[in-house]
Amino acid sequence: MKTSFFELSFWNTAFRPFFWFGSLFGFLIIGIWLFVLANMINNPIQVNAIHWHSYEMVFGFTKAIVLGFLFTAVQNWTNSTILKGKNLFYLLTFWLLGRFSFYSFGFLSYLSFGFDICSDLMVIYLLVPKLIVPTQKHNRPLLYHYGLFTIFHILSAFSAYSILDSEQTLLYVHLSIFVVLFLILIIGGRVVPFFSGVVIQGYSFKRMPKLETILIYLPFVFYIAKLLQGYLSNSKLGTITPFHELGFSLFALLSFFVGFVLFVSNTIRYISWKPWKSYQRPILWILYLGYFWVCLGFLLYSLAEINVIPISSAIHSLTVGGLGVFIYGMITRVSLGHTGRAIVASKLTVFAYLVLNLSVFVRVVFPLFHEYKLAYYGSGIGWILCFVIFFVQYTTILLTPRPDGKPT
């Protein structure tokens, strides 16, 4: 019997197309960014280049990978099929068409942005029926966070287009980064200890329900503090300057405090998982290294709020480190485990793990010593190399049926 296009194994689960296209986009977009920085090509973007770079890394690369995670996880938790076949193809197409929002294509650029937002709305439409039921109450924060992600996505683009204050663009992009981080921390909090229990003999850890509750609800305090801080720091209400300055300093201090609490609470959680026990399993310790960069990133971000270190180092500890390393660990593990293959990292994959962490170090530490160009190009080239390695090694795995004959 002839298999139709939408019956191919590639369209059976969300992680296959989103990991494949996301990894491809991940190294292409950084390649373009490095060429723009080096003035080797004309800047094809109609908005601030830094805004475009930030936007595409969050709403392009990271969003694609997170959608692969999110639907795979929620389908497992709800024991139901949410996204496959034609619907998966449509969602991927909306995301792809959304990648041209800031190129100089006139009306087509705005149409591209419309498709990008349609992909977010489709995600919410698919998740609401599955997560709104009483038995999924504990998973609803995923839906709330994604709703905020969609709002910040719209505000980011409107600011970049100067429909809203363009100075607020990075505020909304950074808020979107934190939303994704918190989504990753929710999913990671479920799967990392589980993965450890599967492969480490005699593994156990102490569960802390109160800490988990804090980690679920504290992010919403952070969002409010950052929004208020961002508004007051850019306010043009000169007639109330004293109140403006006082408000900004207070909310900066609040952001510092919340960021520091996130650092402490996530570090306690991290240590409780006993990450040192993973040292013999590269495909496991890479996840713990990703979480380490998240913890460090929260500390650096809180210090950046009171002008102790540059905000760029803090943000890239959370993005290249927290998101990048954790994402790389998850896509290598999920791609193997969910296609029925042995969950063992190849030597080339382990090499990529090491290169990626070195890239994080370069991007976070070198700017502290004013070595910005080395930070940009060194980390960027390392990132490209790692995702090219993933793309080459995992294309066959993601595109072909499971060797055990199972449908997913």
Side-chain angles (χ1 to χ4, degrees), residues 208-328:
M208 293 176 280
K210 290 184 179 179
L211 178 65
E212 295 300 322
T213 300
I214 290 172
L215 291 174
I216 286 176
Y217 293 105
L218 188 60
F220 297 101
V221 178
F222 182 84
Y223 300 147
I224 293 170
K226 288 303 298 178
L227 283 169
L228 290 171
Q229 179 189 352
Y231 170 73
L232 291 174
S233 66
N234 287 281
S235 174
K236 295 181 175 61
L237 301 178
T239 56
I240 54 171
T241 298
F243 174 79
H244 168 98
E245 295 297 333
L246 179 62
F248 172 65
S249 62
L250 284 175
F251 283 109
L253 190 61
L254 178 59
S255 292
F256 161 78
F257 175 75
V258 176
F260 192 78
V261 172
L262 283 166
F263 159 68
V264 172
S265 56
N266 278 283
T267 301
I268 292 171
R269 184 198 216 187
Y270 177 70
I271 293 173
S272 76
W273 289 349
K274 304 174 184 177
W276 55 88
K277 291 195 172 186
S278 67
Y279 75 97
Q280 291 182 319
R281 305 277 185 167
I283 208 159
L284 186 56
W285 57 244
I286 187 64
L287 299 176
Y288 284 111
L289 274 177
Y291 207 118
F292 164 79
W293 287 114
V294 172
C295 295
L296 179 62
F298 282 134
L299 174 61
L300 297 179
Y301 193 84
S302 64
L303 294 175
E305 287 292 327
I306 52 176
N307 300 317
V308 174
I309 64 166
I311 187 65
S312 176
S313 289
I315 287 293
H316 286 88
S317 176
L318 292 166
T319 52
V320 185
L323 291 176
V325 174
F326 196 88
I327 278 174
Y328 204 86

Side-chain angles (χ1 to χ4, degrees), residues 158-186:
F158 280 11
S159 298
Y161 283 131
S162 296
I163 297 172
L164 299 176
D165 184 356
S166 62
E167 293 184 6
Q168 299 283 57
T169 303
L170 285 182
L171 167 66
Y172 298 128
V173 172
H174 287 176
L175 281 166
S176 303
I177 289 170
F178 281 101
V179 174
V180 175
L181 272 169
F182 295 131
L183 281 171
I184 291 289
L185 292 179
I186 291 173

Side-chain angles (χ1 to χ4, degrees), residues 19 34 64 82 93 118 151 173 219 270 275 289 300 315 350 369:
F19 287 5
L34 293 183
I82 304 174
T93 301
C118 282
I151 293 170
V173 172
Y270 177 70
L289 274 177
L300 297 179
I315 287 293
V350 175
F369 301 95

Side-chain angles (χ1 to χ4, degrees), residues 340-361:
R341 291 167 171 85
I343 307 174
V344 179
S346 69
K347 290 182 180 179
L348 192 55
T349 297
V350 175
F351 171 73
Y353 290 166
L354 297 175
V355 170
L356 186 55
N357 278 279
L358 179 61
S359 299
V360 182
F361 179 84

Side-chain angles (χ1 to χ4, degrees), residues 329-344:
M330 284 294 287
I331 62 177
T332 51
R333 192 195 191 286
V334 170
S335 296
L336 294 173
H338 284 264
T339 60
R341 291 167 171 85
I343 307 174
V344 179

